[in-house]
Amino acid sequence: MQPEIPDHMFYSFLTGGLCASSSTNSTTTTSSFYPFAIEDTVSQDKALAAQRNHKEAERRRRERINSHLNKLRKLLSCNSKTDKATLLAQVVQRVKELKQQTLEITDETLPSETDEISVLNSEDSSSYDDGRIIFKVSFSCEDRPDLFKDLMETLESLQMETIFADLTTVGGRSRNVLVVAADKEHHGVESVQFLQNALKSLLERSSKSVMMGHGGGGGGGGERLKRRRALDHIIMV
Amino acid sequence: MQPEIPDHMFYSFLTGGLCASSSTNSTTTTSSFYPFAIEDTVSQDKALAAQRNHKEAERRRRERINSHLNKLRKLLSCNSKTDKATLLAQVVQRVKELKQQTLEITDETLPSETDEISVLNSEDSSSYDDGRIIFKVSFSCEDRPDLFKDLMETLESLQMETIFADLTTVGGRSRNVLVVAADKEHHGVESVQFLQNALKSLLERSSKSVMMGHGGGGGGGGERLKRRRALDHIIMV
DNA sequence: CAAGACACGTGAAGC
DNA sequence: TGCTTCACGTGTCTT
């Protein structure tokens, strides 16, 4: 596998032979000036062995780096003849792209890092359900065991019927999109406020039960995807 | 900025001076053996200039590579003192992770590459809507202008009411998730078949109008995300 | 040959 | 001290 002394005799004769190395001159030639004295041959052997180690270590280092570069070549499915530099440029671009992509998709489909509530009166868009007012409710918050139960109780107490629920829980955060229907006899357009307040207290209850363990929540924002695994997504009708 | 002849006199005396280089021996020393003849000083200058160019080019190459490595260090937000090798190992891992992540998310939320239809009778899960049967319909297909209109007409002809629609169109592909309600007077559980057949003809109509332009569709499967931009996502109630 | 890319062995600097 | 990592200049092979 290894060439083992392929052409380095050229350099070795230089360092170990006539020419003195630029830095080792003050260490080996202290006790004796005779070029081929006994002490020198011993220390020469030691130095030679050291340099051989050094050389091989460096070779291993190069191999390690190049192996990773080859892995990257495969991951980007690019030719094995592509430059190291251009390969790395492509890697940089790819990482940027992937980061951006996951961020885009994430922001549109997964729970947001900050607590958010949105209640929309969707009567204007399409009013096929004449006797009822339809609201679209969506909010992101910290997940907790009784979140769904509390939510259902809240909606029931408001005499609202859940038509559709899209619940996504991942990484301890929960994103909930609901479509609820309210009777026009008991509710008007102003019920948006009721809903919002009810959800607000729901989220406050949530933050009370968790309190600490998740410090600020605002901070860095670059590595928010790291812990995310196996997303739990439920759609109910 | 540049050191400009910092310590290479050691090597230069070697290549241009006493010792003959291992490969250039047959080119420069053909006409004369006198070490300091005129022709030799000229060719020496030329060779020296060439080696200086070579040296600087190599330096630029190193800088290029290292600059990209530093970019990657920033992108992975890892310390500037991390090894080249371990950095690259981390990059490999990160790229793999990001690829996997986008793939996972994509498969759960975005249109699939192949045409698919799924119709579920969701009566078992929760039957709060006593007078009606609720179906969950989801399918992925090639996008086309009148897809939504045709879909609505189809559902109307089946006397089914759309309660919820989640339509995602991106990269020429469309993913549609619908919750439809059917009157129990006109429909039974077997209506799942009606729905499936209707959707099947809908997709066949679709593939007829597009036909070519997207060859197989099966193939590679590694770079399917490349063209995806600005996702068009509509939720209707 | 010139221009570019790569592997190599080496000295220096950090633990 | 030895071990590791880096930048450097070089030889060599490919366009």
Side-chain angles (χ1 to χ4, degrees):
Chain A
M1 276 299 179
Q2 305 110 301
E4 196 60 31
I5 321 169
D7 59 352
H8 98 287
M9 65 294 166
F10 172 61
Y11 286 109
S12 68
F13 110 88
L14 194 146
T15 52
L18 325 162
C19 306
S21 179
S22 58
S23 69
T24 51
N25 49 3
S26 59
T27 56
T28 53
T29 58
T30 43
S31 54
S32 159
F33 358 71
Y34 295 105
F36 295 106
I38 301 158
E39 311 99 46
D40 256 16
T41 57
V42 172
S43 62
Q44 234 185 39
D45 279 8
K46 245 178 68 172
L48 219 73
Q51 269 213 351
R52 207 188 55 206
N53 283 342
H54 183 33
K55 181 174 66 171
E56 284 171 0
E58 180 64 11
R59 189 177 52 80
R60 279 193 297 269
R61 175 177 164 272
R62 273 195 302 262
E63 277 174 3
R64 221 167 37 201
I65 292 176
N66 283 332
S67 116
H68 287 140
L69 285 175
N70 284 330
K71 283 180 201 161
L72 285 172
R73 280 201 180 86
K74 280 169 198 156
L75 275 170
L76 297 210
S77 63
C78 74
N79 191 10
S80 67
K81 288 301 293 173
T82 42
D83 275 335
K84 262 179 200 176
T86 47
L87 166 68
L88 286 174
Q90 285 177 356
V91 170
V92 169
Q93 175 138 353
R94 197 92 170 87
V95 171
K96 276 185 188 168
E97 274 179 21
L98 285 173
K99 264 187 150 184
Q100 170 76 2
Q101 220 165 46
T102 45
L103 208 71
E104 270 178 21
I105 297 173
T106 296
D107 283 349
E108 294 186 52
T109 61
L110 293 184
S112 72
E113 205 77 352
T114 57
D115 288 5
E116 290 166 8
I117 301 175
S118 149
V119 180
L120 291 176
N121 176 7
S122 59
E123 200 174 23
D124 45 1
S125 59
S126 57
S127 53
Y128 43 76
D129 226 333
D130 293 314
R132 301 191 285 180
I133 300 180
I134 306 292
F135 296 110
K136 187 190 166 192
V137 176
S138 57
F139 63 96
S140 288
C141 66
E142 202 73 16
D143 189 36
R144 60 184 168 87
D146 284 340
L147 179 63
F148 185 64
K149 186 174 136 279
D150 290 356
L151 178 61
M152 288 299 120
E153 284 175 7
T154 299
L155 291 174
E156 198 183 345
S157 74
L158 286 172
Q159 299 195 49
M160 289 176 171
E161 188 194 358
T162 304
I163 292 179
F164 178 93
D166 182 353
L167 315 173
T168 306
T169 302
V170 51
R173 299 285 301 176
S174 177
R175 170 181 171 269
N176 309 276
V177 179
L178 301 166
V179 178
V180 297
D183 233 339
K184 269 192 178 167
E185 297 172 26
H186 307 104
H187 287 276
V189 193
E190 74 282 1
S191 294
V192 169
Q193 294 301 327
F194 287 136
L195 256 177
Q196 270 181 338
N197 288 333
L199 292 172
K200 213 173 155 188
S201 72
L202 192 70
L203 264 63
E204 278 165 5
R205 230 182 304 167
S206 189
S207 63
K208 222 182 280 179
S209 69
V210 187
M211 209 46 125
M212 59 210 69
H214 289 263
E223 309 305 320
R224 48 177 292 199
L225 284 171
K226 258 190 178 166
R227 293 280 168 132
R228 282 200 172 133
R229 292 272 153 230
L231 144 169
D232 185 8
H233 191 114
I234 304 169
I235 294 190
M236 303 180 63
V237 287
Chain B
M1 276 301 179
Q2 304 110 304
E4 193 62 30
I5 319 169
D7 59 353
H8 98 287
M9 65 294 167
F10 172 61
Y11 287 108
S12 70
F13 109 89
L14 194 146
T15 52
L18 325 160
C19 307
S21 178
S22 58
S23 71
T24 51
N25 50 2
S26 60
T27 56
T28 51
T29 57
T30 42
S31 54
S32 159
F33 0 71
Y34 295 106
F36 295 105
I38 300 159
E39 311 98 45
D40 256 15
T41 58
V42 172
S43 62
Q44 234 185 39
D45 278 8
K46 246 177 68 174
L48 219 74
Q51 269 214 352
R52 208 188 54 206
N53 283 343
H54 184 34
K55 181 175 65 172
E56 285 171 359
E58 181 62 11
R59 190 177 53 79
R60 278 194 297 270
R61 175 177 165 271
R62 274 194 302 262
E63 278 174 2
R64 223 167 40 210
I65 292 175
N66 283 332
S67 115
H68 287 140
L69 286 175
N70 285 328
K71 283 181 201 162
L72 285 173
R73 282 201 180 87
K74 281 170 197 156
L75 275 170
L76 298 209
S77 63
C78 75
N79 191 9
S80 67
K81 289 301 292 172
T82 43
D83 276 334
K84 261 179 203 178
T86 46
L87 166 68
L88 286 175
Q90 286 177 355
V91 170
V92 169
Q93 174 138 354
R94 197 91 171 90
V95 171
K96 276 184 187 167
E97 275 179 19
L98 285 171
K99 264 187 151 182
Q100 171 76 2
Q101 222 166 45
T102 45
L103 208 71
E104 270 178 21
I105 297 174
T106 296
D107 283 349
E108 295 186 50
T109 61
L110 294 184
S112 72
E113 206 78 352
T114 56
D115 288 5
E116 290 166 6
I117 301 176
S118 150
V119 180
L120 292 176
N121 175 7
S122 59
E123 200 174 24
D124 46 359
S125 59
S126 57
S127 54
Y128 43 76
D129 225 334
D130 294 314
R132 300 192 285 181
I133 300 179
I134 307 291
F135 295 111
K136 187 190 165 191
V137 176
S138 57
F139 63 95
S140 288
C141 66
E142 202 73 17
D143 188 37
R144 58 184 168 89
D146 284 339
L147 179 64
F148 183 65
K149 185 172 137 279
D150 289 357
L151 178 62
M152 289 299 120
E153 285 175 5
T154 299
L155 291 173
E156 197 182 348
S157 75
L158 287 170
Q159 300 195 49
M160 290 177 170
E161 188 195 358
T162 305
I163 292 179
F164 178 91
D166 182 352
L167 316 172
T168 307
T169 303
V170 51
R173 298 286 302 176
S174 178
R175 169 181 172 270
N176 310 276
V177 179
L178 300 167
V179 178
V180 298
D183 233 340
K184 269 191 176 166
E185 297 172 26
H186 307 104
H187 287 277
V189 192
E190 74 282 359
S191 294
V192 169
Q193 295 300 328
F194 287 136
L195 255 178
Q196 270 181 339
N197 289 334
L199 291 173
K200 214 173 154 190
S201 73
L202 191 71
L203 263 62
E204 279 166 4
R205 232 183 301 167
S206 189
S207 63
K208 221 181 281 179
S209 69
V210 186
M211 212 43 131
M212 59 210 69
H214 289 263
E223 309 304 321
R224 50 179 290 201
L225 284 171
K226 259 192 179 165
R227 292 282 168 130
R228 280 195 173 138
R229 293 270 154 231
L231 147 167
D232 186 7
H233 191 113
I234 303 170
I235 294 191
M236 301 180 62
V237 286

